[in-house]
Amino acid sequence: MSTHTERPLTERPLSLAAPSGIDRAAHHRLDEAWLAAAWSHPTTRVFVVSGGQVLIDDTPDGGTGIVMTPAFEAPVTETHRYFLGTDEDGVRYFALQKDALPGRMDQSARPAGLREAGLLLSPRDAGLMVHAVALENWQRMHRFCSRCGERTVVAAAGHIRRCPGCGAEHYPRTDPAVIMLVTDDRDRALLGRQVHWPEGRFSTLAGFVEPGESIEQSVIREVWEEAGVRVGEVEYVASQPWPFPYSLMLGFRARATTSEITVDGEEIQEARWFSREELRAAFASGEVLPPSGISIAARLVELWYGEPLPKAAA
């Protein structure tokens, strides 16, 4: 029986945002001699990323890990080789962007995206995968210079694209987005269902930060636009990288000053206030499906709910 006491966010790591133990060692990205030596070192580990997926496999300790190989066994690529960092033992990690994943290493190895692998991988592997997928998404979608239209080239071990035409440098893009658990004066939670979601799938409201807008202003605006609810106090909770394709989710709690709901009908199909008891009953009956456990949305709801949420169906 839950006492509804909120547990600290740090009690267990947030998916995709847990400390990975990887030093990104950004000061080495422009050092071609160091990168060449790191690539040829026998302890260096490499994995392929393609279309947001990597190969994962079961590990001897009963967990799941990214399939990695020494550099000399890695597929050949001339330019799309991304240095991700080093661990406390001095092991260097690289990702290779390829058009397809290599053939399966054995019967248990399988391709997986972050939504599946993020809940299975260790913090180290999840952090490496998030970094690699984010770089891959940016690299694939920003191949030409936004100033002159010339095709750009990869530099800084995958963290810059340079234009040979006008000399411009382009850096990986991250779009800030706010995601918020809104409660009212009766301590009910406001959850909504997006138009394209399956029936019964409810989660927190979210939206992108607009130009010239603070993140607090974005929270207030998005809740009003999507649900017609006015928000007063806004409190930051935590952030989560969300490379789908290149966002950073900024999580908040917000206190509503009105309770009448008017959904926009474009992004949000339905929104409802839930007490804890109502949400528990809706989970039990299957009327409401919980947000994905990999998302910070689940953690925001859980902090208010006071206990772990049921596992969402895949």
Side-chain angles (χ1 to χ4, degrees), residues 61-72:
D61 61 2
T64 302
I66 298 176
V67 175
M68 301 189 195
T69 66
F72 66 85

Side-chain angles (χ1 to χ4, degrees), residues 189-193 202-203 205 226-227 229 261-263 268-274:
L190 179 63
L191 302 179
R193 184 171 67 83
F202 280 81
S203 188
L205 303 183
E226 294 187 348
V229 172
I261 295 174
T262 305
V263 297
I268 301 298
Q269 180 71 32
E270 179 184 4
R272 294 165 55 185
W273 292 105
F274 291 91

Side-chain angles (χ1 to χ4, degrees), residues 215-217 219-220 231-236 252-255:
I215 52 178
E216 293 84 2
Q217 290 170 336
V219 170
I220 294 169
V231 164
E233 180 183 357
V234 174
E235 177 189 4
Y236 172 75
F252 291 86
R253 299 175 186 172
R255 178 67 70 174

Side-chain angles (χ1 to χ4, degrees), residues 47-123:
F47 63 93
V48 174
V49 58
S50 180
Q53 292 189 318
V54 302
L55 282 179
I56 63 173
D57 202 352
D58 300 328
T59 57
D61 61 2
T64 302
I66 298 176
V67 175
M68 301 189 195
T69 66
F72 66 85
E73 294 181 2
V76 176
T77 181
E78 295 182 357
T79 56
H80 292 281
R81 185 169 76 188
Y82 309 143
F83 172 59
L84 304 179
T86 65
D87 66 17
E88 59 184 9
D89 295 323
V91 176
R92 287 88 165 186
Y93 296 90
F94 288 82
L96 301 180
Q97 177 182 323
K98 302 289 287 184
D99 291 334
L101 293 174
R104 297 191 178 192
M105 308 296 289
D106 54 44
Q107 292 184 349
S108 61
R110 58 198 185 276
L114 271 171
R115 285 186 170 89
E116 174 191 350
L119 291 173
L120 303 174
L121 297 175
S122 67

Side-chain angles (χ1 to χ4, degrees), residues 24 92 166 305 309:
R24 294 195 173 199
R92 287 88 165 186
C166 68
Y305 190 59
L309 302 181

